[in-house]
Amino acid sequence: MAQGEPEPVLAVPGEEEEKKEGGEGPELAPAAGGVGLQENVQGLKQELFQEDDDDSCSDYGSRDKSGTILGRIVPDGNVLFPDTFQTNHLLFYERFKAYQDYILADCKASEVKEFTAEYLEKVLEPSGWQAIWRTNVFEVLVEVVDVEYSTLKAVVRLSEPFLCDSHVSTFTLECMQELLELKKHQLPVQELWVVFDESGEFDQTALAIEHVRFFYQHIWRSWDEEDEDDFDYFVRCVEPRLRLHYDILEDRVPSGLIADYHNLLSQCEVLYRKFVNLRSGISSSDSDSEAENVSMVEGLKLYDEIEHLKQKLKLVENPLLRYVFGYQKHTGLQAKGSRPMGMKITHVVSSTIMASLLQSLLREKLCPETCDEELEIQFHSDPLTAVSACYEGDTVIICPGHYVVDGMFCIADSIELEGYGLPDDVVIEKKGKGDNFVDCTGANIRISSLKLVQHDAVEGILSVHHGKTTLENCVLQCETTGVTVRTSAELLMKNSDLYGAKGAGVEIYPGSTCTLLGNGIHHCKEGILIKDFLDEHYDSPKITMVNNVIHNNEGYGVVLVKPTVSSDVKDIAAKNSEGNIQTIQSNGETENVEDLGHEELHECATDELELHERAEISEQTEGNYEIANELVATSVKKSQMHKKRLSELGITEADDNIMSQEMFVSIMGNQFKRNGKGSFGTFLF
C-alpha cells in the first residue's frame, strides 16, 4: 500500500460512551501517550467514568486493556511477510495532540531530537518485537533486540526464517548480514513497520514509530535548526505544515499550488546542501585567499536565495497567508487559431429550443439586417461542448436555461461567450470538485450576460492567465476566491455582480491590468486584494476602479499586500508620493467614464485632484483617495528600492522620472459600505 494514502478511520472503542456521559465529551487522549502519562490520568478517568470503567480507554487503547484497537495491513508482495499495524490513517487532531502534548511541547528546533528521544523512551518497547525494514530497494523482516533512544535507532537482527523482497536478486542472506554489520545493526526507527500483534502490547510502539516517521517525512526540514526565534517550534513550523498536509489530502489546495510548493521544497533543499558544503569548506580553511573571499560572496548569495524560498514556503504553509503568495500557474492550453478556410461559426446552446425562441435568435443574433455574410450555425446541448468546439473568432450564444457542467472551461482562443437574455435566466453551474471553473488565456475573450455558479471548489471562479478578458453584465456566485487577474493578463469587468467568495472577490497580481467599472462586489472575505508587487522581478499593476459598489465584505473593501520595507526607503517614498499621486476623485461627472481610455483618465486624474484644498471629504471619497494614495506610495517605494539597488551596483544614471515606473491608478466614484474592517487596509508580511 502506498504511503501517505488516506485510510478509512477506525472506530474508537469507548469514545461514544465518553461523549454521551460527559456532554460535549472530555478532551481526547493524545495519539501516543506514554506509560507514565497514562498512569497519571488513569485515576481521574476512573473517577469520571466509574460506571463504564471497563470500556474507558485512550484514543489508541491502553496496555491494561487486552487486544489491539489498531487495524492491520496485509502485504501484497511476492514474499509472505506477516501483517503490519495500520497507522497511516490517523486524523489531524490525533497527530496534532501527539506532537503538541507528548512529543514536542514547547521545544526549540535544536531540541527536537532530544524531546523525541525522551518520548520514545517512555512509550517504545525496548525489545521483543518484529518489524519490516523498508527501503526504496528492498524489504526484510527483522527482530528488534534493543533501542538506542538518543540516536532514534533500533538495534536489530535478521528474523528466522529469512524473509526478503527486493527489486534485484543480489540481496541474499549473506549480503543482508553484511549490510547490517556495516550499519552496526542500528536502523532509524522510521524505517521500521511494526509487525501486527493482536494482544495490543505493541500498539503504542507502532503509533510512536508512525509519529516519528510522519514527522521526518512531512514536517521536518534540514534547515529548521538554524531558524531559532522566540516562538516554539511546534507553533512556528509543526502546526502550519501539519495543516497543509491535511488540507492537501482533503483537496483544499489547488493542484498548481501543491506542485509549486513541492518545487520550492526541492529547490530549497538543493541550495541548502550547497550552502552547507560551502560553509564547511570555508570554516575548515585558515587561509585568507581570493578563492575563499569568492566563496564567502557565493555563500551570502546562496543564503539570500534560501531565505527568499523559505519565506515563500512559509506563506504557503500558513492557511491565512497561502493565497497571498499565490502561484504562477502554467496552463497547458494551446490556442487552435483560425480554421483552415478562415470560416467563423456561431454556436447555439440550448437543451430544447422553441420556435418562438428560434425566431428571436434569427432576427436578433443570427441573421440581423446588418449582416452581409452567410453564417454557419452549430447547435449544442451543453455549453462546455460548444466552447471546446470553438476556433479563433467564433461566437457562443447560450439560450435561457440552467446548465450543469462537470468540467472546466478552458478558453485559449479569442471568442465571444454570451447569454441570450438576462444573467439570471442563463445559468451555468459547476458540479464536482475541481481546481478551476473558467480559465482564460486567449488574446481577446468576451463573456457577457451569464450567471456562473460555483460549488465545492478549490480555486476561484474565473482566472485570466494571459491576454485580455472582458466580463460584462454577468453574475458570479463564488465559492473560494472570485476573479483572478494574473501577471501580464488584463481584465475589464463592467456592470457585473460578484459575491460569496471565501477569499477575495477580485485578486490583482503584479504586472497585470485590471479595470473595474460599475460592479457590485459584496459578501466576500475581502472585496479586492492587490498582491505584493515590490519584488524587483515584477512590474507594477495598472488599476482602474470607477463607480463600483463594494459592500458587506467580512474584511476590507480593498486590501494591499506588501512586505515590510526598511525605514529609509519608507521615508523617501512618503516624501515623493505626496506630489506624485495620480488619481480621480468622485465629483458626480462619471457617466461616460467607461468610454475614456487610460490616457484620458490619467489627464483627468492630474487635473481634478485637489485633495488638500478640500476642507471636508465624504467617507466614500476619502476611501477612494486612501486607496490611490497607498497604491502610488507603494509604487514609489518600489522605484526607490530599484534605484538603491542600482546605486549599490555602481549604476548612478537611474531614471529620475519616478512616475514612469509606477502603476497607473485611477480611483473614482466608488462606494464602500458596511465592510467589516473598513474601506481600505494593508497586509504586511
Side-chain angles (χ1 to χ4, degrees):
M1 181 173 296
Q3 296 303 312
E5 292 182 355
E7 296 291 338
V9 179
L10 297 178
V12 180
E15 182 176 330
E16 293 299 324
E17 289 80 359
E18 289 181 354
K19 288 183 178 179
K20 289 179 182 178
E21 182 144 344
E24 295 181 357
E27 182 175 333
L28 294 174
V35 177
L37 290 169
Q38 287 187 341
E39 290 175 354
N40 290 337
V41 300
Q42 188 62 34
L44 178 61
K45 281 192 173 186
Q46 290 176 353
E47 292 178 9
L48 291 174
F49 307 106
Q50 289 181 4
E51 296 180 0
D52 299 323
D53 185 60
D54 292 338
D55 295 330
S56 63
C57 65
S58 69
D59 278 6
Y60 306 127
S62 169
R63 292 182 186 178
D64 297 333
K65 184 178 178 67
S66 60
T68 181
I69 63 167
L70 296 177
R72 66 168 71 196
I73 297 178
V74 180
D76 54 3
N78 297 325
V79 178
L80 296 178
F81 282 116
D83 298 349
T84 56
F85 282 106
Q86 182 186 47
T87 54
N88 60 354
H89 67 291
L90 301 182
L91 302 176
F92 167 80
Y93 83 91
E94 294 173 311
R95 297 191 192 275
F96 181 94
K97 294 292 288 182
Y99 293 129
Q100 183 184 50
D101 290 355
Y102 288 146
I103 304 177
L104 302 175
D106 58 353
C107 75
K108 297 180 180 179
S110 59
E111 301 171 327
V112 165
K113 191 172 183 179
E114 177 185 350
F115 274 58
T116 304
E118 292 177 0
Y119 162 73
L120 291 180
E121 192 169 3
K122 292 176 182 178
V123 301
L124 211 64
E125 291 290 344
S127 61
W129 47 280
Q130 288 185 315
I132 297 178
W133 176 26
R134 288 177 178 164
T135 69
N136 294 330
V137 181
F138 61 81
E139 297 182 2
V140 63
L141 184 65
V142 297
E143 181 180 347
V144 175
V145 297
D146 197 5
V147 178
E148 293 288 341
Y149 298 104
S150 61
T151 59
L152 309 184
K153 291 184 177 182
V155 181
V156 304
R157 65 187 178 196
L158 294 176
S159 295
E160 296 181 359
F162 173 69
L163 292 178
C164 179
D165 186 14
S166 171
H167 302 302
V168 293
S169 59
T170 56
F171 285 96
T172 61
L173 174 60
E174 292 75 17
C175 291
M176 197 59 65
Q177 287 176 337
E178 184 178 351
L179 178 60
L180 283 177
E181 288 175 2
L182 290 174
K183 292 180 172 289
K184 298 182 180 179
H185 289 265
Q186 295 184 7
L187 304 177
V189 292
Q190 60 263 35
E191 295 182 7
L192 301 178
W193 273 256
V194 182
V195 169
F196 183 79
D197 185 276
E198 293 182 348
S199 68
E201 182 180 357
F202 301 114
D203 282 17
Q204 292 291 337
T205 295
L207 286 164
I209 291 177
E210 169 62 26
H211 287 311
V212 174
R213 177 167 46 246
F214 182 91
F215 175 80
Y216 282 104
Q217 282 183 351
H218 303 290
I219 306 296
W220 179 256
R221 309 285 183 253
S222 55
W223 54 83
D224 281 350
E225 284 187 298
E226 302 191 21
D227 288 342
E228 296 289 346
D229 57 20
D230 296 334
F231 296 97
D232 64 77
Y233 180 70
F234 179 85
V235 173
R236 182 165 52 89
C237 297
V238 177
E239 181 178 356
R241 292 171 187 171
L242 185 62
R243 289 188 184 278
L244 175 62
H245 177 82
Y246 277 88
D247 284 347
I248 291 174
L249 285 182
E250 296 167 10
D251 296 324
R252 296 177 183 172
V253 182
S255 58
L257 188 55
I258 297 172
D260 275 10
Y261 180 72
H262 290 152
N263 185 44
L264 287 171
L265 270 179
S266 300
Q267 291 180 48
C268 206
E269 286 285 358
V270 171
L271 291 177
Y272 183 72
R273 283 196 296 269
K274 288 182 180 179
F275 176 75
V276 170
N277 294 334
L278 189 63
R279 183 175 58 183
S280 61
I282 295 174
S283 60
S284 62
S285 175
D286 297 330
S287 64
D288 190 16
S289 63
E290 181 179 351
E292 184 172 340
N293 292 333
V294 172
S295 297
M296 289 287 290
V297 173
E298 186 179 349
L300 290 174
K301 182 180 178 182
L302 282 173
Y303 179 81
D304 289 340
E305 291 179 9
I306 292 169
E307 289 300 311
H308 184 66
L309 291 175
K310 284 159 61 176
Q311 179 69 14
K312 287 187 174 182
L313 287 170
K314 288 178 181 178
L315 291 175
V316 182
E317 290 165 355
N318 190 315
L320 298 178
L321 307 181
R322 188 169 298 156
Y323 297 99
V324 170
F325 163 62
Y327 64 97
Q328 301 300 320
K329 183 172 181 178
H330 306 286
T331 59
L333 301 181
Q334 295 292 329
K336 297 178 183 177
S338 301
R339 287 184 174 81
M341 301 300 294
M343 182 184 302
K344 297 179 181 179
I345 293 178
T346 298
H347 304 263
V348 177
V349 179
S350 180
S351 53
T352 58
I353 190 165
M354 304 297 291
S356 57
L357 177 61
L358 184 58
Q359 289 176 352
S360 299
L361 275 173
L362 290 171
R363 182 174 61 252
E364 298 177 15
K365 295 290 183 180
L366 304 180
C367 296
E369 296 178 358
T370 58
C371 182
D372 298 329
E373 299 179 358
E374 185 75 16
L375 292 179
E376 180 175 336
I377 303 171
Q378 291 184 3
F379 288 90
H380 307 265
S381 60
D382 175 24
L384 195 60
T385 305
V387 171
S388 300
C390 282
Y391 283 75
E392 186 82 10
D394 283 4
T395 299
V396 178
I397 300 174
I398 304 178
C399 296
H402 192 119
Y403 304 90
V404 180
V405 298
D406 187 3
M408 61 181 290
F409 290 91
C410 300
I411 308 177
D413 291 280
S414 297
I415 67 171
E416 291 190 20
L417 181 63
E418 59 177 297
Y420 184 59
L422 297 175
D424 286 334
D425 296 331
V426 187
V427 181
I428 303 177
E429 182 177 355
K430 186 183 190 306
K431 71 173 182 178
K433 286 190 176 182
D435 281 358
N436 301 79
F437 193 176
V438 182
D439 262 3
C440 299
T441 62
N444 193 0
I445 298 170
R446 182 181 179 87
I447 302 173
S448 61
S449 302
L450 294 176
K451 181 176 182 179
L452 303 178
V453 180
Q454 184 183 33
H455 296 297
D456 203 17
V458 178
E459 286 196 59
I461 196 166
L462 185 146
S463 294
V464 186
H465 297 279
H466 307 290
K468 178 181 178 180
T469 295
T470 300
L471 200 63
E472 185 172 6
N473 194 31
C474 290
V475 176
L476 306 178
Q477 180 179 320
C478 308
E479 173 77 9
T480 51
T481 53
V483 177
T484 302
V485 196
R486 301 206 178 266
T487 301
S488 301
E490 181 178 355
L491 170 71
L492 170 58
M493 182 172 167
K494 295 173 57 178
N495 304 326
S496 295
D497 191 43
L498 186 153
Y499 60 92
K502 295 177 182 176
V506 178
E507 289 188 352
I508 303 173
Y509 274 67
S512 64
T513 300
C514 183
T515 303
L516 304 174
L517 306 176
N519 303 289
I521 301 173
H522 56 98
H523 294 93
C524 303
K525 177 72 174 178
E526 311 284 354
I528 299 170
L529 187 144
I530 304 170
K531 293 184 180 283
D532 166 43
F533 57 87
L534 278 177
D535 192 292
E536 61 181 317
H537 301 296
Y538 296 144
D539 293 327
S540 299
K542 295 179 176 62
I543 301 173
T544 301
M545 291 173 53
V546 178
N547 290 349
N548 300 284
V549 181
I550 303 172
H551 65 96
N552 290 100
N553 295 291
E554 183 179 338
Y556 292 103
V558 178
V559 178
L560 172 63
V561 179
K562 62 180 183 178
T564 54
V565 296
S566 59
S567 58
D568 56 341
V569 174
K570 188 181 298 183
D571 294 339
I572 294 173
K575 292 179 181 179
N576 283 278
S577 64
E578 290 178 0
N580 290 288
I581 300 172
Q582 300 186 6
T583 184
I584 298 178
Q585 294 302 328
S586 174
N587 63 356
E589 300 178 0
T590 62
E591 290 82 357
N592 299 320
V593 70
E594 62 267 24
D595 297 329
L596 298 177
H598 279 178
E599 294 182 0
E600 289 84 353
L601 288 172
H602 185 277
E603 293 175 1
C604 292
T606 55
D607 291 340
E608 297 182 15
L609 178 59
E610 300 292 345
L611 176 70
H612 298 291
E613 297 179 5
R614 299 183 183 184
E616 296 181 357
I617 304 175
S618 68
E619 180 182 356
Q620 294 175 6
T621 305
E622 185 176 359
N624 284 276
Y625 172 77
E626 184 182 8
I627 295 168
N629 181 38
E630 182 62 34
L631 292 179
V632 177
T634 305
S635 188
V636 173
K637 293 174 190 175
K638 178 182 177 69
S639 297
Q640 295 299 328
M641 292 169 66
H642 178 66
K643 292 178 70 175
K644 184 178 179 180
R645 280 190 293 268
L646 291 177
S647 63
E648 290 174 350
L649 295 173
I651 303 174
T652 57
E653 297 181 359
D655 186 3
D656 290 328
N657 184 6
I658 297 175
M659 290 310 298
S660 67
Q661 299 181 19
E662 292 175 7
M663 66 160 64
F664 169 78
V665 179
S666 173
I667 311 291
M668 179 174 71
N670 301 287
Q671 299 182 42
F672 301 90
K673 302 177 181 179
R674 298 181 295 278
N675 294 296
K677 295 182 180 179
S679 59
F680 177 72
T682 56
F683 184 89
L684 301 176
F685 68 97

